[in-house]
Amino acid sequence: MKRTRVKELLSSSPGTTPVSAKGWIRTKRESKDLVFFEINDGSCLSAIQVVVDRSTAEGAQALAKSDLPRLQTGASVAVEGTLVESPGKNQAVELHATSIQVIGEAPSDSYPLQKKRHSFEFLREIAHLRPRTNTFGAVMRVRNRMAMAIHEYFQQLGFTWVHTPIITASDAEGAGEMFQVTTLPLEKIAKADPSRFKEGIDYSRDFFGKPSYLTVSGQLNAEIFATALDRVYTFGPTFRAENSNTSRHLAEFWMIEPEVAFCDISCNMDLAEGFLKHVLQAVLRDCAEDMAFFDARIQPGILNQLQEVVDSTFTRITYTQAIADLEAGMARGVSFDYKPSWGADLQSEHEKYLTEEVYHGPVIVTDYPKEIKAFYMKLNEDGKTVRGMDILVPRLGEIIGGSEREERLDVLEARMKELSLDPQDYWWYLDLRRFGTVPHSGFGLGFERLIQYVTGMQNIRDVIPFPRTPKNAEF
Ligand code: 4AD
Ligand code: MG
């Protein structure tokens, strides 16, 4: 019999045609003759209730007495039966079983996921089983929908998705936060395959003798393609060797980086605002059940909050204005651990204050002091600030960082000199300014931060399937 997924069963009408479902048991209870259990197959948040009446011949045949104890939370089962209107309030239909097969048991004395609610810390230790919980199932379905919405948005605007490399020799952010790539230690190579071992090669400085790293950003590669294909984006994993144990930092995270030719910072801000709204709308429309769960269990009010963002116009202020707002707050008695001062980077407490207390929503901050931003940002006429833009949101702070790029060869070279960057290392990047240079802009969105924002999940480790943090890289 063809199997139907639970999501489809739950929206089907009662009928006499036999149906088949497969999945994992979430809960079970029994009374004298009746056995109830719920199975979930990940197609949606809900589980379908299966009912067996063991007082009938059919029910007794479907479930032998000896099989009853094997119906445990976590066991995998295949059920056949018919859909019947449910007397319960929680679901419209339930499955009256005529055949039940336990495929794989999950002994209750050793299966770690019992019915009670587990802490996210505990679930991180069993990362191989946590997808079977309601919360992680919901996170993964929302994450999937968001990824598709991101592609839809850029594709509909005629962008080309460019697959940028993971191994690279250049530090796109100039911040020195890179993981170096090496081959196995010499002894291991020699042992595994002596013929691969060549005298005179420094294997600790691979790639083929030249130091190489895991990419921190695909931006510079994207600029190469934007100055040919006009509008492109990347969507892939990026790496930061920052030892920050916070709820918003990962060593490996996914980034989306659009890059657009003939586009200044104001066009860049419009693109980013339209982009965020498109993704939020898609999730609100297509993940209603999962989002209702986050609203009820994780972040009360999040549905309204996200809808308000979709309907709003983002506030746009300069960095100088942001500092003035923070100073005005201090004058009114607000206290910060780090005193805001012009020239210093905004701290997360400052971002929180601006988005939650002053502007009550997303804020785009532009024109930062050049000292606190990357070498490639376009210098303003004042010679002090650059056309960078960060998007800050309530609860999280920065989710997007971007800028108009410096397209003038002489200005870029002078800036690199100031920062002691070797132009030799970026000869190809400078060529883009030598040949057919054009004003262009782009930004990077941290995918996991946006998922946190949308779901209300507190810790970034809980919105990625396998978090890579200083202490966690097991599988
Ligand atoms: O602000 P960042 O460092 O900007 C860039 O990498 C630019 N090259 C982007 C561009 O213009 N194309 O990073 C961009 C975003 C941040 O706003 C943040 O959301 C996220 O990436 N991010 C991280 N997310 C999780 N863990 C980390 N360690 C992150 N570091 C940055
Ligand atoms: Mg940034």
Side-chain angles (χ1 to χ4, degrees), residues 237-254:
T238 49
F239 307 85
R240 303 271 164 111
E242 52 192 345
N243 195 354
S244 28
N245 262 307
T246 78
S247 58
R248 332 181 287 154
H249 289 90
L250 290 164
E252 175 179 321
F253 65 98
W254 286 62

Side-chain angles (χ1 to χ4, degrees), residues 57-230:
E58 202 181 39
Q61 199 189 5
L63 188 59
K65 206 168 195 125
S66 58
D67 267 347
L68 203 53
R70 300 172 71 223
L71 289 181
Q72 304 133 327
T73 297
S76 50
V77 288
V79 178
E80 287 175 14
T82 49
L83 283 182
V84 175
E85 192 179 329
S86 173
K89 281 199 286 286
N90 295 332
Q91 64 278 316
V93 288
E94 55 190 30
L95 181 54
H96 285 203
T98 51
S99 150
I100 296 169
Q101 187 201 347
V102 175
I103 301 169
E105 293 186 36
S108 58
D109 52 359
S110 54
Y111 183 58
L113 290 177
Q114 293 304 325
K115 212 178 141 190
K116 73 181 174 97
R117 230 166 143 176
H118 298 289
S119 74
F120 291 131
E121 287 78 9
F122 170 71
L123 292 175
R124 261 171 243 148
E125 289 167 19
I126 48 165
H128 59 304
L129 296 173
R130 69 176 188 171
R132 301 182 186 194
T133 62
N134 277 336
T135 307
F136 286 92
V139 166
M140 289 313 299
R141 282 184 298 270
V142 168
R143 183 178 169 114
N144 171 68
R145 184 65 192 91
M146 287 170 67
M148 297 321 289
I150 287 165
H151 284 299
E152 277 155 27
Y153 181 74
F154 290 119
Q155 294 292 327
Q156 142 223 313
L157 291 174
F159 281 62
T160 302
W161 180 20
V162 176
H163 307 117
T164 49
I166 284 176
I167 297 177
T168 175
S170 51
D171 181 356
E173 289 302 293
E177 289 178 333
M178 297 187 294
F179 289 107
Q180 187 164 353
V181 176
T182 67
T183 44
L184 294 171
L186 290 186
E187 322 81 73
K188 279 208 176 173
I189 300 179
K191 211 165 140 196
D193 179 3
S195 68
R196 266 180 65 208
F197 184 82
K198 296 207 174 60
E199 285 291 340
I201 292 186
D202 180 357
Y203 286 93
S204 69
R205 286 168 70 81
D206 237 2
F207 189 75
F208 303 109
K210 197 178 176 226
S212 67
Y213 311 92
L214 297 181
T215 188
V216 293
S217 153
Q219 176 195 323
L220 307 191
N221 308 81
E223 284 187 57
I224 293 178
F225 280 85
T227 51
L229 301 182
D230 188 68

Side-chain angles (χ1 to χ4, degrees), residues 401-420:
S403 72
E404 185 171 340
R405 318 305 188 192
E406 185 57 76
E407 88 278 16
R408 299 163 295 185
L409 180 63
D410 52 337
V411 184
L412 182 59
E413 280 178 328
R415 183 76 189 121
M416 289 175 67
K417 211 165 159 190
E418 259 172 37
L419 291 167
S420 311

Side-chain angles (χ1 to χ4, degrees), residues 172-173 175 177 216-220 222-223 234 238-242 244 246 248-259 268 373-374 376-377 389-391 397-403 405 441-450 452 460:
E173 289 302 293
E177 289 178 333
V216 293
S217 153
Q219 176 195 323
L220 307 191
E223 284 187 57
T234 73
T238 49
F239 307 85
R240 303 271 164 111
E242 52 192 345
S244 28
T246 78
R248 332 181 287 154
H249 289 90
L250 290 164
E252 175 179 321
F253 65 98
W254 286 62
M255 187 147 61
I256 295 95
E257 297 184 273
E259 194 68 36
N268 202 26
K373 288 292 180 191
Y376 51 70
M377 294 194 184
M389 60 162 226
D390 279 3
I391 302 193
E398 178 194 336
I399 59 167
I400 281 182
S403 72
R405 318 305 188 192
S441 301
F443 62 83
L445 165 81
F447 190 36
E448 285 74 22
R449 293 219 185 143
L450 185 61
Q452 279 188 280
I460 196 162

